[in-house]
Structures are given as C-alpha cells and as structure tokens.
Amino acid sequence: MTETAPATSPGKRPPIVTRPAVPDERAIVADVLARAFIDDPAMSWLFPDRADRIVRLARFFTLSTRMEPDPGLWSLALADGGGIAAATMWRPPGQWKTSTSAMVLHLLPLLRTFGLTLPRALSLQSALEAHHPLTPHWYLQYAGCAPEQQGRGLGGAAIRARLAQCDSEGLPAALETATPSNVGLYQSLGFEVTDSFDVPDGPHFWAMWRAARPVT
C-alpha cells in the first residue's frame, strides 16, 4: 500500500511514501496518535486537565494499538527521513465494534487508562455505536499526524492509501469526528456527512461516509 505522487519538479517536495504498519511499530504509532490527539475535543472532554491528558493519551493509544490484532491494516505516511509522520488505524468490514470480550480481557489496562473517567468513556463508546452504520465498510478508527509534521498533507496521504484499497474492493468507508476543522478535510477525500449527534453532556460528533469510487 504505497502511494506514489506525480513526478516532482526541482524545488518541490518528493512524493509522500505510504505503507502498512508492522507489529513492532505499535509503540511508534501509539506515540504519533497520542500527540496528534492532544487537543481533540472528545479527548479533551474525557481528560479535561491537559497535563493529565498527555499521560492518559499515551496509555490509551498504547492500549488501542495492542488491542488491534493486525497492524497490517493500518496505513502510515513517512516523513522525508523515513520516520513515521502520520498514522491511521482501520478496522475491516464487519469488525468496527469493540467486542465485550476484548474489553473484559483488557479491563485492568482500561481502568488504569481512564480511572474515574471510565463512565464517560463508556458513554462516548455507546453514543458512537448507536450512530454507526451497519452496512459493510472499512472503518477509520483513528487518524493523526505528528504535530511537528502537520500541514504537509501527510495525514491525508495515509488516509488515501487505504481508500485506494476500498475502491479496488468496491467497499465504502466510515468515520466519526468531533473536530469541526476535520469535516472539510474528510470531505476533500470523498466523505459526506450523514449524521451528527451529541454525546450526553459531551462533544458534538459528525458521522461521515464515503462510497467506493470506480477504479480507472
């Protein structure tokens, strides 16, 4: 899953390289996403204190990357030096929902991650699941770019890498975002807003859907 941009002229940046993740990159992906989500409205609601949020997000994404069985489904965008600059975590059709058994298996890490905010996290999860589409699709669970690499199109490149596979398989994609500025970004990638809702006493979300495009 490597995206090759058009040839560049002198003075322009080289093409953005994308590829799947491998198992031993879980920690790097967790770090990129934890830093990318530091000001995310949903995460800010879960962890109001910013200093505490930094610690909690590191735990949360470490746990999230460990709970996912196949990092090869994630797509990464690389910085000029080859390091991971942006990461996306995807779930394949029929597997968008976190199972009860997985949550029970990881109960202690969940308690350590959320502490007294666990009821808020469960309320958030319940709201997302209640508004999630049931039609088979690829689910963009998380997408983020390291703060120092933002503004260069790396996050979009990481997302497009998986969307190319969605199109080749004739499958749609879905996501939710609580960040207003992200709505336009996702629309530029072919997503459309299909629903919006509020988590009880919490953030506002937009649910978005992208139909598969014909492969030319």
Side-chain angles (χ1 to χ4, degrees):
M1 187 194 307
T2 301
E3 177 178 294
T4 303
T8 56
S9 59
K12 290 189 176 181
R13 288 188 177 276
I16 296 173
V17 176
T18 63
R19 62 169 176 80
V22 297
D24 64 3
E25 291 175 326
R26 292 177 191 268
I28 301 173
V29 170
D31 175 70
V32 168
L33 292 175
R35 293 189 294 122
F37 274 77
I38 188 62
D39 293 317
D40 175 79
M43 296 302 179
S44 298
W45 175 70
L46 285 174
F47 312 118
D49 180 82
R50 199 174 195 276
D52 179 63
R53 191 185 317 145
I54 294 171
V55 176
R56 300 284 182 176
L57 286 178
R59 293 177 184 172
F60 173 75
F61 282 107
T62 295
L63 176 59
S64 296
T65 55
R66 289 176 179 172
M67 290 178 68
E68 297 300 313
D70 187 3
L73 300 179
W74 311 344
S75 51
L76 311 176
L78 308 185
D80 293 341
I84 297 172
T88 58
M89 292 178 63
W90 293 82
R91 287 182 172 176
Q95 299 180 36
W96 61 268
K97 190 174 182 179
T98 301
S99 67
T100 302
S101 59
M103 294 187 66
V104 171
L105 181 63
H106 295 89
L107 181 58
L108 290 180
L110 283 169
L111 289 172
R112 183 170 180 266
T113 297
F114 291 104
L116 296 176
T117 65
L118 184 57
R120 278 191 173 194
L122 294 176
S123 174
L124 172 58
Q125 180 181 356
S126 178
L128 293 176
E129 292 180 352
H131 291 83
H132 201 91
L134 300 179
T135 303
H137 62 276
W138 279 90
Y139 176 42
L140 179 52
Q141 188 180 16
Y142 302 110
C145 183
E148 68 275 10
Q149 299 287 352
Q150 291 176 3
R152 299 174 52 203
L154 291 156
I159 297 170
R160 286 195 300 272
R162 174 60 63 191
L163 293 179
Q165 182 176 350
C166 292
D167 292 341
S168 68
E169 296 174 351
L171 288 170
L175 62 85
E176 302 94 9
T177 182
T179 303
S181 60
N182 282 351
V183 174
L185 167 64
Y186 292 128
Q187 287 175 329
S188 72
L189 296 172
F191 287 87
E192 297 180 357
V193 175
T194 55
D195 192 9
S196 63
F197 57 94
D198 293 304
V199 176
D201 300 318
H204 183 81
F205 273 88
W206 290 266
M208 305 189 72
W209 182 263
R210 181 187 183 275
R213 295 179 172 180
V215 177
T216 58

